[in-house]
Amino acid sequence: MNVGIIGTGWPGQQHAIALSSSKRGRLHSCADLDEQRRAAFVKEFGPDMAVGDYHEMLADAAVDAVMICLPNYLHFPASLAALEAGKHVFCEKPPTLNAAEMKVLRDQASERGLVYFFGRQFRFTPGMLAAKRLIAEGRLGNIYHARATWMRSRGIPPGIGGWFTEKKRSGGGALIDIGVHALDSVWYLMGNPRPVSASAGVFQNFAHFVASAVFDVEDAAYAFIRFENGAVVHLETCWAGNLPDEIPEGKYFGRETNNSLLFGTKGTLRLKPLTLFEDQNGALVTVPIKNGSVEDNADSFAAQLDNFLAAIAGESEPINSAEQAVELMGMIDAIYASGAAGREMAIA
């Protein structure tokens, strides 16, 4: 299959690397308004065609699918244009700015018989796959609670042109940027139960760290989400906070913690390092799992691409489906709405 990449920054480069070793697809074209960045991409990856305006790529009948790697506010219009042009779509996270936009994309893909796939390569890391296998084997029993955390002490990103901190272009701050990763990781491992409500606190406390002209998004969000099956998730995420010293210094963003715990009736699973705390005849036993790292991206981009292309070929169900993207954005919407209203919000 011929694949086009829209946006040639870091995410687009990772997908191009994955395509270079794919047996199902090949890099056919790229699109980027930045001429210098586009030229560097062409030099490194050698697509057949390189254009500035992605609509020119979408008009090419030779292109079967596109991978959208643009700033958040461009995800919806680019995805919709691609679907209307008859192309299968892979879009980086967040899939859209809200659930209403995502419902349009889901319906358009369904009506046209196309695959829509949202980017979440962490679902395909060796560690996540090992965790999924343990859960499928029943080692955790019934998962009734999960704690998802991604917090930084000094990590408010400017982005190119400051778009990360401007709500109309980003859709939000820490929650939609890094919190969505933590939330999706535990939700996926829990089996994607249907969310029914969220209660949250959403804060902006560290504007004095921001040099961007506009900062109208949150730097922290804390949420409690209920699911139809009775399970709950506690989510903690922040770009900036005065984090204690038990949280280690990261390379770029000050103190940083990014981890998840899933609590089950037979055992509890920690993702980093991947460890099972298992009840064995009444005794709690620590069982290290050595099947892979949750942070190993080397295989995850390739595995995610293979699932996307296999879904297009009708050989597999998409692991990152359009329906799941709708529910994920529904949770994000409800967290923002709860923070604004100061009460629990239902998820439609």
Side-chain angles (χ1 to χ4, degrees):
M1 285 172 269
N2 286 328
V3 180
I5 292 178
I6 301 174
T8 59
W10 185 86
Q13 294 163 23
Q14 302 312 302
H15 296 307
I17 293 169
L19 276 165
S20 69
S21 60
S22 173
K23 296 180 179 179
R24 296 181 184 273
R26 59 182 293 274
L27 176 61
H28 175 273
S29 50
C30 72
D32 199 308
L33 291 174
D34 188 304
E35 186 175 350
Q36 186 175 358
R37 190 166 57 233
R38 186 173 72 244
F41 185 90
V42 170
K43 183 177 180 180
E44 183 170 0
F45 299 108
D48 298 346
M49 180 177 72
V51 297
D53 186 344
Y54 66 76
H55 291 91
E56 187 175 344
M57 175 195 293
L58 298 180
D60 188 345
V63 176
D64 300 304
V66 295
M67 306 185 82
I68 296 169
C69 310
L70 298 170
N72 296 357
Y73 69 103
L74 297 174
H75 288 181
F76 174 71
S79 296
L80 183 59
L83 292 170
E84 290 175 342
K87 314 300 183 186
H88 302 282
V89 171
F90 174 108
C91 185
E92 277 293 340
K93 69 84 193 169
T96 53
L97 298 186
N98 52 60
E101 290 182 344
M102 191 54 238
K103 288 176 182 177
V104 172
L105 299 183
R106 176 200 61 191
D107 294 346
Q108 284 292 314
S110 177
E111 290 172 10
R112 298 170 186 272
L114 297 168
V115 171
Y116 175 92
F117 193 105
F118 71 98
R120 264 290 297 151
Q121 75 272 9
F122 289 149
R123 290 186 175 194
F124 296 85
T125 60
M128 284 286 281
L129 295 174
K132 195 73 170 173
R133 285 194 297 271
L134 285 170
I135 292 168
E137 291 168 3
R139 297 285 290 275
L140 270 66
N142 177 45
I143 300 172
Y144 57 89
H145 171 222
R147 189 166 75 220
T149 303
W150 195 336
M151 298 193 294
R152 297 168 175 169
S153 64
R154 299 294 182 266
I156 301 176
I160 298 173
W163 69 265
F164 269 98
T165 60
E166 186 176 358
K167 188 173 179 63
K168 70 178 183 180
R169 293 195 288 168
S170 63
L175 173 63
I176 206 168
D177 177 37
I178 57 176
V180 67
H181 283 295
L183 174 58
D184 183 76
S185 291
V186 296
W187 183 52
Y188 172 63
L189 290 174
M190 293 167 77
N192 302 111
R194 191 178 75 81
V196 295
S197 69
S199 182
V202 179
F203 304 93
Q204 187 195 94
N205 294 320
F206 294 91
H208 53 285
F209 290 154
V210 179
S212 302
V214 179
F215 183 48
D216 60 357
V217 299
E218 81 287 351
D219 50 50
Y222 306 94
F224 187 81
I225 304 167
R226 296 182 184 275
F227 296 90
E228 190 175 53
N229 65 355
V232 296
V233 164
H234 179 209
L235 172 67
E236 299 177 295
T237 187
C238 69
W239 275 340
N242 299 317
L243 304 183
D245 60 3
E246 67 260 24
I247 296 175
E249 290 280 340
K251 187 175 181 180
Y252 301 109
F253 305 112
R255 291 173 181 164
E256 183 169 14
T257 176
N258 171 18
N259 211 340
S260 295
L261 285 164
L262 294 104
F263 296 85
T265 53
K266 293 182 179 179
T268 290
L269 188 66
R270 181 182 63 204
L271 290 188
K272 299 177 185 178
L274 190 61
T275 309
L276 179 64
F277 305 93
E278 188 173 38
D279 174 39
Q280 295 183 4
N281 299 317
L284 187 58
V285 178
T286 299
V287 184
I289 309 297
K290 300 180 180 180
N291 296 54
S293 168
V294 176
E295 298 180 276
D296 182 4
N297 284 329
D299 298 326
S300 61
F301 280 95
Q304 180 177 235
L305 172 69
D306 189 66
N307 179 241
F308 172 52
L309 297 179
I312 293 172
E315 298 170 6
S316 176
E317 290 297 315
I319 289 174
N320 303 359
S321 70
E323 188 59 44
Q324 288 177 16
V326 170
E327 294 191 338
L328 182 62
M329 293 314 301
M331 287 188 271
I332 300 296
D333 287 354
I335 291 170
Y336 282 131
S338 174
R343 60 181 176 84
E344 187 172 40
M345 302 297 290
I347 300 173

